[in-house]
Amino acid sequence: MDSLLKRIIKEITRPYHKLSVITNPDGFLCREDTINAFATQANISILCLSQLELRIWFETTFRNSENQTFVVILEDTSRLIADIRLVAFVTEFKTRDMLLTYNQQAIDLNKMNYQMLAHLFETKSVAILDRDATNKAVGVAESLFGADGDDISVIRANLMQVVTDWHNPQKTIEKISKQVAKAAKQGKYSEIEAEIEFLNLSFLRHIDDTYYQQLITAAGPRVVHKILPYIERTYGIGQKVALVVVDGLAYWQYLILKQFLSEQGINTQDNVCYAWMPSVTQLSRQAIFRGYTPERGYKQNPSNEEKLWKDFWYQRNFEEWHVKYFHEELPDIPASVERLAYVTMTMDDDMHSAHGMKQLYRATEDWAKGFVGTIQKMLNAGFDIILTADHGGVPSQSWGNLSSQEKAALYETGSRGLRHLIFNSQSTMQHFLESHQDVINDWLVHGDSIVWRNNKCFGNDNCITHGGSHMLELLVPLVTIKR
């Protein structure tokens, strides 16, 4: 139980009363996040009732309850009925009394959630702070727990209220991603992993039923290898379109970029598509630029990627000066270019080097602030933009290393990742599966490859990585940004 909650409980309850009737003029106790904090941390129910509602509740629910503490917030306790007053502790609570060492002119309770207030209470000074010091303290609390900083109990509750509809994947993953971003910002992603894995189970059932049977063969850009054919159908010769591929950008990270774009007046048309499985760059980004099923022996590098991009458009009657590919650096774009590709690895590098989701959140914010300028440069040059990623990423827990014999059974190029394996034959794969019957249900097996379905990874270290079929790595943004 946090220290703020302990203090409030001390103020508004008494051990010998299982009912408190409180006036709270600022309304802080009636907020959803405050009510959730009381329920989850202290098993105390807060009810915000009228006089009539209190009367009915008292005669029904309260009289039949045992071993449960209730706090009722009432607008006016002066007209409290006598029989209720006899059994209740009655008082007034002012939230500002919890922050007396802060400058009161700098405190706006309407802009604070419970977690911000708890942080300010926890870090309050013994000495009275001036306005500037108070503003600085409030700013720190807001950066940690502000608009994207619901109490973790609220985030958990929000996740469990998500109704998954994987036939509308963008709507579903956006709801989930908003909560992932909030938890990551606070450094509390580990506290929602159980809820994420529960939601991922429904996603995996959807993948089992549709990925290879329907999604791969669908005409529209349901999987990344159909993005180029979609662009070809949508944009004709003479129209400018840029394909922007942000390696490793999960949908929750895209929402951070979207916020910065919105602040600059740049609107987006949001959608998602599925990475190629195994969801690794060599296969999935190759699939994007090939516009077709990826090939096993392909060598992943910018030169080969540029060749795939140019060949696709040359075969569709575009001249050399109409097609450009850039990797990381975006110079001035020649006016003749109609098909522009731009790839950045920054997010993938940050993902693999991050020691946790909080670090990755901050790295994403830093990247997004600067990347808005790159997007604006393309828009100013007359391009519509299709923004996507080859895969996302998922915080993964160590399963253990492969033996030297198991490593020898893998396909040579790109065959082994932290969340996928590609075997050199069906027989060696079958032998591997038979050797690990205890976890076989945790793997999705298709063709000559296996990928992790849950949040496990090969190796001895926990990490944020990709390659499997988890919803956080397989569903990637497919966003249109127009001039």
Side-chain angles (χ1 to χ4, degrees):
M1 186 185 304
D2 66 60
S3 57
L4 173 62
L5 194 60
K6 289 180 182 177
R7 176 62 183 276
I8 296 176
I9 289 173
K10 183 179 179 181
E11 295 291 326
I12 68 173
T13 67
R14 293 295 181 267
Y16 45 85
H17 289 286
K18 67 173 186 175
L19 173 62
S20 296
V21 180
I22 311 297
T23 55
N24 177 223
D26 53 63
F28 198 84
L29 295 181
C30 280
R31 296 186 189 181
E32 182 181 0
D33 54 349
T34 306
I35 292 171
N36 282 331
F38 270 78
T40 57
Q41 295 189 49
N43 195 30
I44 294 176
S45 297
I46 291 184
L47 305 170
C48 303
L49 304 176
S50 66
Q51 292 280 358
L52 177 59
E53 289 169 335
L54 173 59
R55 176 80 264 174
I56 296 171
W57 172 85
F58 183 79
E59 295 296 340
T60 54
T61 305
F62 180 74
R63 289 195 185 280
N64 295 322
S65 66
E66 295 181 4
N67 302 321
Q68 173 67 51
T69 301
F70 296 96
V71 174
V72 172
I73 311 301
L74 202 63
E75 187 175 344
D76 181 9
T77 58
S78 65
R79 296 186 293 115
L80 197 61
I81 298 171
D83 58 344
I84 298 179
R85 187 178 290 275
L86 279 173
V87 301
F89 173 64
V90 183
T91 189
E92 181 181 65
F93 176 78
K94 295 179 180 178
T95 309
R96 285 183 179 275
D97 290 345
M98 303 293 100
L99 304 172
L100 292 178
T101 59
Y102 292 95
N103 180 278
Q104 294 301 298
Q105 283 69 43
I107 297 293
D108 186 351
L109 292 176
N110 292 323
K111 295 182 179 179
M112 289 190 188
N113 56 38
Y114 177 84
Q115 197 73 2
M116 288 176 63
L117 191 72
H119 176 79
L120 289 171
F121 183 82
E122 184 74 32
T123 58
K124 66 183 183 297
S125 166
V126 176
I128 295 177
L129 301 181
D130 61 20
R131 188 160 190 158
D132 287 343
T134 299
N135 282 332
K136 184 177 180 180
V138 170
V140 170
E142 186 173 15
S143 69
L144 291 171
F145 307 111
D148 292 325
D150 290 340
D151 183 270
I152 197 67
S153 63
V154 178
I155 295 172
R156 281 201 210 96
N158 290 342
L159 283 169
M160 295 316 295
Q161 291 170 10
V162 172
V163 178
T164 56
D165 176 9
W166 296 114
H167 295 289
N168 188 349
Q170 187 274 328
K171 182 178 180 181
T172 301
I173 198 63
E174 178 158 323
K175 290 178 181 178
I176 295 169
S177 294
K178 286 179 179 178
Q179 306 309 315
V180 169
K182 291 177 182 180
K185 185 175 184 179
Q186 297 180 29
K188 293 185 177 181
Y189 177 84
S190 62
E191 297 185 38
I192 65 167
E193 282 190 307
E195 288 77 11
I196 292 297
E197 289 312 301
F198 176 80
L199 292 166
N200 188 54
L201 287 175
S202 71
F203 177 73
L204 293 173
R205 288 192 292 270
H206 171 70
I207 289 298
D208 291 343
D209 293 339
T210 64
Y211 188 85
Y212 291 108
Q213 297 86 343
Q214 300 172 23
L215 297 175
I216 287 287
T217 58
R222 306 294 297 278
V223 181
V224 292
H225 70 304
K226 293 296 182 72
I227 293 176
L228 286 196
Y230 164 75
I231 293 175
E232 180 191 4
R233 292 193 306 271
T234 307
Y235 293 88
I237 291 177
Q239 294 178 294
K240 292 176 177 282
V241 59
L243 174 63
V244 175
V245 181
V246 183
D247 194 299
L249 186 73
Y251 199 86
W252 69 268
Q253 295 170 285
Y254 161 68
L255 293 179
I256 297 173
L257 173 62
K258 179 180 177 178
Q259 179 61 37
F260 285 107
L261 291 171
S262 178
E263 290 173 3
Q264 298 301 315
I266 300 173
N267 296 321
T268 61
Q269 299 172 18
D270 298 341
N271 208 331
V272 296
C273 62
Y274 295 78
W276 191 271
M277 281 201 290
S279 53
V280 291
T281 297
Q282 179 172 321
L283 297 176
S284 196
R285 207 163 85 205
Q286 179 199 163
I288 293 174
F289 282 97
R290 190 177 294 280
Y292 195 68
T293 303
E295 296 178 357
R296 279 278 192 260
Y298 173 81
K299 303 292 186 182
Q300 177 61 48
N301 58 56
S303 296
N304 286 340
E305 201 161 77
E306 180 176 12
K307 185 177 186 304
L308 289 178
W309 171 253
K310 290 183 174 179
D311 285 349
F312 182 91
W313 294 113
Y314 291 167
Q315 292 169 15
R316 286 151 180 83
N317 300 319
F318 281 82
E319 301 293 343
E320 182 178 354
W321 54 85
H322 289 153
V323 185
K324 281 289 184 182
Y325 168 98
F326 297 109
H327 188 270
E328 296 299 350
E329 298 296 327
L330 183 64
D332 291 338
I333 306 166
S336 62
V337 175
E338 296 178 7
R339 296 295 181 267
L340 171 68
Y342 175 76
V343 176
T344 174
M345 295 284 293
T346 304
M347 280 294 88
D348 189 70
D349 293 341
D350 287 339
M351 173 181 65
H352 288 297
S353 63
H355 297 296
M357 288 286 273
K358 186 173 184 177
Q359 181 182 346
L360 184 55
Y361 182 97
R362 290 177 173 173
T364 304
E365 274 197 324
D366 291 342
W367 166 80
K369 290 175 186 176
F371 197 67
V372 170
T374 301
I375 295 295
Q376 189 67 68
K377 184 174 182 178
M378 296 181 200
L379 293 174
N380 290 343
F383 288 88
D384 284 2
I385 297 169
I386 306 297
L387 183 145
T388 192
D390 50 357
H391 56 77
V394 60
S396 304
Q397 298 173 1
S398 165
W399 175 76
N401 278 325
L402 303 178
S403 68
S404 56
Q405 292 86 351
E406 288 170 338
K407 292 176 183 177
L410 302 177
Y411 187 86
E412 181 180 353
T413 304
S415 61
R416 177 163 57 97
L418 291 172
R419 286 181 51 79
H420 87 286
L421 302 173
I422 302 173
F423 290 83
N424 55 25
S425 70
Q426 287 289 326
S427 61
T428 55
M429 184 176 74
Q430 191 60 38
H431 178 71
F432 180 81
L433 295 173
E434 290 171 356
S435 300
H436 299 288
Q437 289 291 319
D438 56 325
V439 292
I440 194 169
N441 291 329
D442 295 336
W443 292 327
L444 188 154
V445 181
H446 182 80
D448 57 0
S449 66
I450 69 170
V451 301
W452 284 105
R453 296 159 62 86
N454 54 17
N455 62 340
K456 292 289 192 285
C457 63
F458 300 110
N460 291 326
D461 298 314
N462 296 343
C463 59
I464 306 174
T465 188
H466 57 93
S469 62
H470 197 284
M471 62 183 179
L472 295 183
E473 62 192 335
L474 201 60
L475 280 176
V476 295
L478 180 61
V479 178
T480 302
I481 308 172
K482 293 190 175 185
R483 290 166 286 162

